[in-house]
Amino acid sequence: MAPIPITIVTGFLGSGKTTLILNLIPQLPQTYKIALLKNEFGDVAIDTQLASSAAISGVQELLNGCICCNLVGQLGDALDSLRNDVGPDRIIIETSGSAFPATLAMEVNRLGRETGHYVLDGVIVVIDVENWKGYEDTSYTAKMQQKYTDLIVFNKWELVDERRYDECLDRVGDLELPIANVKSTKGRVDQSLLLGLDSALAKDGDSISGGYSKDKPVHEHSKDHETEVEVLSVNLVSEGDKPKSVNIDSLETFLLSAPKDEVYRIKGIVAASHPMASSNGDVDESAGPPPRVARYILNWAFGRWTFAYSAMTLPAPVSVASSTAETAVSNTHETILRMTIVLARGEASKWKTRLEKGGMIEQEDGGGFLMVGRVV
């Protein structure tokens, strides 16, 4: 069984973590099961909302301490309880009191290595722009801790002037680390940025492309707010009648070369003749010995990735506009890669050009049709 992805959402009390989670739930498929592990006394009304949500299958609390510090030893039991009682597709850990979640992230990684039941998908820090004063500690130790932060969400920025928001950006810059950041829209951030791709989400075709379409733009509920991310849709279609594979060596080079302050998420389904190692060195050999072509789910998040076997088939390629002529794809051809790339604002054109130049995403033996389109 594939490990359960874990998303950590942290930030100080009142920063908007629970609101972020509540706004995430409606974006997910109705059959997708989330379990929540909370580490604070929450608002009763908010907890009721969470418990009554169809997407929240279980809520467990660890109280009277900080899960990043003195309660970290109880994490394994709490996760096992949710796994056994709920069987969730994903676990979200919501913790308060620490802007530096390194201890918690390392414990999740340790539990994942020892049990094979869990995998860390991302660490999100929510910052209340209206009230945040900056990091009290910008030492080397603080910088090492902050390397475990994948994404900073600036919340409540609508309540202040631009100068105040710029001050928060400067405080983040004090750490001199390339940390991805995004503004929320009244506590909402698109799920394609917050969550990677797992086997349950991949069952929904829209999830592979981030749920974006020409008819449903990101942040459609707030058209006056410029989107904080840009999205590319990538399809690779094979030539020939025999099963084809993506060139895994080229794909791995691409994943290694993507800076995490430019490329936030890469996720998709890949046909491969042999499994690529995940970034931690693990290799999923569930498909059997090579050279059998099998499908794998790729989930790249801020420099880390997993490459897991999937029994599902790839969806038919979508028609996307390319800088070259729009490519007509025959029904006899097979989609061997369908991928979504979520990038920082201003990066899509550059990465679209790089991909179209070749050498990053290609068929194992050459050939194939590569289609790269701007979605957002």
Side-chain angles (χ1 to χ4, degrees), residues 132-135 138 154 162-176 181:
W132 189 58
K133 303 300 183 184
Y135 295 109
T138 58
F154 287 113
E162 195 67 24
R163 180 178 178 181
R164 173 64 189 138
Y165 172 65
D166 289 340
E167 288 175 355
C168 285
L169 283 177
D170 289 342
R171 298 292 73 77
V172 170
D174 290 342
L175 289 176
E176 300 176 343
N181 65 81

Side-chain angles (χ1 to χ4, degrees), residues 20 124-125 127 129 151-155 157 165 169 179-185 188-190 193-194 219 225-229 264 302 343 345:
L20 186 74
I124 301 163
V125 172
I127 288 177
V129 172
L151 177 69
I152 291 175
V153 173
F154 287 113
N155 208 20
W157 61 272
Y165 172 65
L169 283 177
I179 303 171
N181 65 81
V182 65
K183 289 179 180 178
S184 73
T185 301
R188 182 189 188 277
V189 175
D190 196 274
L193 187 55
L194 297 178
H219 292 173
H225 171 46
E226 184 177 3
T227 180
E228 291 295 307
V229 297
Y264 291 170
F302 311 103
L343 305 109
R345 184 167 35 174

Side-chain angles (χ1 to χ4, degrees), residues 236-304:
L236 181 61
V237 181
S238 68
E239 290 181 295
D241 298 328
K242 295 182 179 180
K244 301 292 183 179
S245 167
V246 170
N247 187 320
I248 291 300
D249 292 337
S250 297
L251 180 60
E252 185 173 21
T253 299
F254 165 53
L255 299 180
L256 289 168
S257 69
K260 62 182 182 180
D261 56 338
E262 295 182 13
V263 182
Y264 291 170
R265 291 276 186 180
I266 302 171
K267 44 192 174 180
I269 303 175
V270 180
S273 58
H274 63 278
M276 176 175 62
S278 298
S279 56
N280 64 0
D282 291 346
V283 177
D284 187 346
E285 299 178 344
S286 304
R292 178 177 179 269
V293 174
R295 303 290 187 266
Y296 295 87
I297 295 174
L298 169 65
N299 176 35
W300 185 102
F302 311 103
R304 300 186 305 270

Side-chain angles (χ1 to χ4, degrees), residues 180-220:
N181 65 81
V182 65
K183 289 179 180 178
S184 73
T185 301
K186 296 181 179 179
R188 182 189 188 277
V189 175
D190 196 274
Q191 66 92 359
S192 66
L193 187 55
L194 297 178
L195 307 183
L197 186 66
D198 57 57
S199 57
L201 279 176
K203 294 175 184 176
D204 178 7
D206 280 346
S207 298
I208 302 168
S209 56
Y212 298 112
S213 71
K214 293 180 180 178
D215 300 323
K216 188 181 67 174
V218 66
H219 292 173
E220 61 182 354

Side-chain angles (χ1 to χ4, degrees), residues 5 8 36 51-52 75 93-94 98 101 118 173-174 185 199 245 255 272 303 358:
I8 298 172
L36 179 66
S52 63
L75 179 64
I93 301 176
E94 179 190 346
S98 174
Y118 313 105
D174 290 342
T185 301
S199 57
S245 167
L255 299 180

Side-chain angles (χ1 to χ4, degrees), residues 66-76 103-104 107 110-111:
C66 176
I67 196 173
C68 301
C69 306
N70 56 311
L71 292 182
V72 71
Q74 301 178 28
L75 179 64
T103 305
L104 179 56
E107 181 66 5
R110 184 187 70 81
L111 292 169

